[in-house]
Each structure stands twice: as C-alpha cells, then as structure tokens.
Amino acid sequence: MTAYPATVLAKARTIRLLVLDVDGVLTDGRLYYLTGGGEAKAFNTQDGAALKMLMGTGIATAIITGRRSDVVDRRARELGIAHVQQGVDDKAEGLRVLQAQSGLDASVMAHMGDDVPDLPLFRRVAVAFSVPGAHPVVTARADYVTRATAGMGAVAEVCHLIMTAQGTWNDALARIDR
Ligand SMILES: [Mg+2]
C-alpha cells in the first residue's frame, strides 16, 4: 500500500471535512457537450467507494465548483455529499458559505483542486491536495500531489491518505471486507 510523506500525514490528522473541486479532480477535466444540448461527465467508481468509506469514518465532504451541471448534483446525491455549491466564481466566498453551513472552520478542512481558481482555498485550509497535470502554480502550492490522475482514482488516494493519517483505514476496510 502507498506510503505517504510524514509531514502530510501529520497535517491530515485533524481534518474533519474534505472539499472537492469537480472538473479535473472528480473528473479528468474534459467536458462533453452533447449534440442537442446537455453535458456529460465521467466520474470514477473507486473515487465514489472511497468517499463513502471516508464519510463512514465521520469525515464530511463538500463540492465547490465554478461550473454548473445537473450531473454534479446527481453524483453528489448518490454519494451523500452534503454540501454542494456550483457556479462559484470566487471560491473564497464559497468557503465562507461552507464554513457557515457546516459549522466547521477552514483550519479543519482540506481542499483538492487542479486549477488557479482553487488557490484561494489552498491559502485558507489546513491541507492542499492536487493531481498530476494540474496547473503548475497549483501543484507548486499543494502539500501533496496524488500519484493517481484526476478521474482515475486521485480522490480515492486522498481519501486513503486521510484515513491512514487518522488511523481509521483498517476499521473502515474491515467493515467492508468481512
Ligand atoms: Mg478544476
């Protein structure tokens, strides 16, 4: 199993809420425009399973995305992601709303993002996660860049990292593998 840097594990130990960007984090960043209107996105089942495991350990999750898409609401509902904000131009403002909604301070949150609009969140949360192929400015500021790529298990890797840091992984796995 993957070994993570001790510095990142130490930072992730007190995280209570994981904030996720959508395009380029939960997906590979490509937007499928369908003939006749509508839009499609490809989400990853391993990311979904890992998010459910993480939430099962008492960690909350949230989505803050700049775009707006019905499929994001559907995916969030399916996974039980409680806090969803779409069409957010200013993610710092999105974070203020999330703090009010969740009753949690940014100091107990982690954010996973891939592009420049994610930087205000990186500035404010306790741990910043990014993905291979993210904007170089973003990867430079991340505490940890996943080995898995976006839309291909990167979110699952971060979930595993947080559970490993908090010592909840073995119990979470045992609840499934029995
Ligand atoms: Mg993005």
Side-chain angles (χ1 to χ4, degrees):
M1 199 64 89
T2 328
Y4 304 108
T7 47
V8 181
L9 290 172
K11 283 188 172 191
R13 206 157 289 150
T14 51
I15 292 307
R16 306 310 311 156
L17 189 155
L18 173 63
V19 188
L20 298 164
D21 175 36
V22 173
D23 300 300
V25 170
L26 279 166
T27 76
D28 66 5
R30 288 187 288 183
L31 307 168
Y32 298 89
Y33 285 77
L34 305 177
T35 309
E39 187 180 318
K41 291 184 194 296
F43 296 101
N44 183 281
T45 54
Q46 291 186 7
D47 285 347
L51 281 167
K52 283 187 174 178
M53 281 178 86
L54 182 73
M55 289 186 272
T57 71
I59 304 300
T61 54
I63 281 174
I64 299 180
T65 171
R67 300 189 76 261
R68 216 177 257 286
S69 176
D70 293 344
V71 293
V72 172
D73 284 326
R74 278 172 55 195
R75 183 63 172 158
R77 236 185 345 261
E78 196 175 282
L79 296 178
I81 296 174
H83 307 286
V84 179
Q85 294 181 62
Q86 298 203 66
V88 178
D89 288 330
D90 175 2
K91 290 200 178 186
E93 177 55 29
L95 182 66
R96 278 190 284 276
V97 172
L98 176 60
Q99 288 185 115
Q101 281 179 352
S102 66
L104 295 171
D105 190 75
S107 61
V108 294
M109 293 183 189
H111 179 60
M112 188 168 182
D114 73 311
D115 212 345
V116 174
D118 295 295
L119 290 175
L121 290 190
F122 274 20
R123 242 175 220 290
R124 289 165 174 81
V125 300
V127 198
F129 294 110
S130 195
V131 294
H135 194 291
V137 171
V138 175
T139 41
R141 292 259 294 276
D143 293 296
Y144 180 78
V145 178
T146 56
R147 281 159 237 214
T149 54
M152 298 295 282
V155 172
E157 186 177 329
V158 164
C159 292
H160 178 252
L161 187 157
I162 293 171
M163 287 185 274
T164 300
Q166 303 192 348
T168 56
W169 167 258
N170 287 334
D171 282 351
L173 184 63
R175 280 196 288 275
I176 297 165
D177 181 19
R178 61 195 167 90

